Structures are given as structure tokens and as C-alpha cells.
Amino acid sequence: MNPTTLLERYRRVHRPGQDCRITSARNLLELHGYRHSYATVQGLSSNFYFSYRTGFMPLDRLTFAGGDVCGHYFPVSGQRLEVLENLAYLYGAELVTGAGEDDARAQETLLAFLDEGIPVLVAVSRHVLGDYVGQPLRFPAYLGNIRFGGHFVTAVGHDRQRGTVSLFDTDHMQLLEVPLAVLARARTDGDHDAACVMQSHKRWAVFLPGSSAPPLGHLMRTALERSVQLWRAAPVDAAGAAGLEGVRRLCAELPGWAERSDLSTDKLKATVFMLGMSSEMLSGGSLGRRCFGMFLRQAGSTLRSDSLLAAALDYGVLSELWQELIGEVKAQVFHEAGPRSLDQPAIHALLARLLEHEEQGYARLCAGLGEAA
């Protein structure tokens, strides 16, 4: 195979990872000569965040395209979604996106970019893709009929005669060759279904970084300043909160989860299951704290900031505390005798330490940037 084709060039830089957006962005940046670790790209994307919700508000449709996710579980997240948008600003990238095209136009758009040697990020259903490759996606019964769309894969080539598209998926190392008909189904599966979270709606994105970028230290500082501003502007309402207020609210409410009238046994289990999945499988560990601590160590060293290095230590501790807390909550909720109360001294102690380091880490982060917390 021609080593200069897009497919072969992308094969050399493709790496699996946790969050599909961050992993895809890392791979695309390396394709264009900017090689960074997953943690560095996560930090540069200003992805670091925190939110906790118990009810759905109209503004939440910007995050949960499928509608009221709170009807299925209480979402707890450590990251934001505008990864490509933030990286495009830093790297002077061309970012073109689309969604909702009719089937013929969506396919035409995809193939036209591939004909020009341009990779395309395509939102798909993991369920359809998993079924096709013989690895069906299965969830515990307490999640009910919930499905997930919005998983980004990278299209790198196609064969018109065979009617196939070549894809790299951040869940796997190997190349996938998928019939156009299967891909079309994967791009719409679950759309307009209230039980489908993060619906795909044939979303796609093309991300082309500029030929040069500012020094890494400048990029790091800009990304961290944006992260701080996003925390300051974090929304707070009766049904949930983000930023530090979100952490405080979770710490105050989590001990009473098992006694809440709006958390049935199945919904409680779904909430804890999704908390664990979001923490370890989507956000790179401990609701993003593990990778953010790594990024802060790198940024502290690059920018020669003792405050950022001190903040990195806090987020290192938080990585352990979040993992320990989630493990303890899982042990109580999935106890063989049935869910137990979370209103226990050990959980209260973990929450107190966790909140202390969240507040301290944020204050040190702000100090490292010369800003008030």
C-alpha cells in the first residue's frame, strides 16, 4: 500500500485512548507534526471541569443532545465537550463541522473530504459499530433501554467499488473497514429517541491545524487561563451546579443518595455505574484529575511556576481520593445484600478531604496564573 496515502500516514500516529474527542485530537495533531501525550492535549483543550446535576434544564440540551439524561441517572462529569473548538483557537486550525444533512448529502460530504486526503471525524453509535465488528455493547439491566451515540471515529479512506469506508476508532488499534450502509446506520442510530444519550445526528468535523503554533509554554498558559474562566462562569441552579460549587454540592448530597425519593434502586445503581464509567473510561481517570495533575506538572516545569507545581500535587492526591471514593460508593450501592446507605463516617471523611484538595488545588492554580481564586 502506498505509504504516502492518508490511511497509511494516519496509521502511524493512531493511538487508542479514553475520551474519543481528546484522543482523536491528539492523533490529528501528531498527523500534522504536533506530537503530545494524551494528558497534554487534554490540558491544552481546557477540558478540565466538574459538573453535577439532579434535574434537566433547557441549557443542558447543549451538552446532552438526547434530552433529559437526568431521567436515567444523575450525571457527574469532570470534563467539557468543546475540545476541538479550544484546540482550534490555540493552533490556528481550520475547524469545519456539520450535522443533520440528509443521508445522500452526508455521505457526499464525507467522501469529498476523503478524496482530498482530509481525515473526517464522524459521530457514530458504539452499539451499531460494536455489533458489526462482533463486539456487541452490553450494559447492566438496571440501565434499562439506554443507548449511547456521539462516539467519534476518524474516517481516513474509502473504496468506491466495494462501497466501504476505512475508519480508526479510539477504542481499538486496528483499522476498521465498514460498509457505507453500516456507517450510515451508525450515524443515525438512536436519533430522536429519548433513551439515547449524546445522539449523533450525522455530526462530523474536519480539524486542520495551522502550519505553525506559538511556543508550548504560551499554549499551556492560555489553556489554563481559559480553564479558570470556565470554572468561574460555571452555571449554578436548583437542579445542579458546576465548577467548585458543583463539587461542594455533590459532597453535600452524595451521602443521602440512597435515601432520595427520586433515586430508585435502579437509578441509584445507574448513577454510580455511570460515575465510574465517566471517571475511568471517559475522562482519563478520577474524573480527569489524573491527567490534569500530569499536565500541571508539565506546565509548572515549563512555566517555572512553583504554584502550578504545588497544584499538581493537589490533583495527584485528588486522583487517589476520587478513585477511593468511587470504589467505596460502588461497594455500598452494589452490596450483595442490596444498596446500603452512603451516610457513613468513611465516606464523609473522604468527601471532606476531597473538597479540601479541590479548593486548594484551584486556589493554587489561580495563584500560578496571577489571578484571584
Side-chain angles (χ1 to χ4, degrees), residues 2-54:
N2 186 345
T4 63
T5 64
L6 171 61
L7 190 157
E8 287 306 309
R9 288 188 293 114
Y10 196 90
R11 190 197 298 274
R12 291 196 289 268
V13 303
H14 173 68
R15 302 289 182 275
Q18 285 92 10
D19 179 80
C20 58
R21 290 172 177 80
I22 294 172
T23 306
S24 297
R26 193 222 71 83
N27 295 340
L28 286 170
L29 283 170
E30 184 170 344
L31 180 71
H32 292 279
Y34 302 105
R35 186 175 186 179
H36 299 300
S37 69
Y38 180 94
T40 300
V41 174
Q42 187 176 41
L44 291 175
S45 71
S46 300
N47 173 266
F48 179 72
Y49 201 56
F50 186 87
S51 65
Y52 163 58
R53 298 208 63 79
T54 59

Side-chain angles (χ1 to χ4, degrees), residues 210-243:
S211 58
S212 63
L216 182 59
H218 177 83
L219 299 179
M220 288 177 161
R221 183 176 184 87
T222 301
L224 288 172
E225 287 174 344
R226 177 159 177 74
S227 294
V228 167
Q229 293 304 320
L230 290 170
W231 273 67
R232 285 181 175 160
V236 177
D237 56 54

Side-chain angles (χ1 to χ4, degrees), residues 70-106:
C70 298
H72 303 287
Y73 60 93
F74 288 173
V76 181
S77 176
Q79 59 187 0
R80 297 180 64 91
L81 298 180
E82 60 271 26
V83 170
L84 296 178
E85 292 83 352
N86 290 337
L87 290 172
Y89 173 77
L90 288 183
Y91 284 91
E94 295 287 344
L95 176 62
V96 185
T97 63
E101 299 169 314
D102 63 53
D103 292 347
R105 180 60 183 272

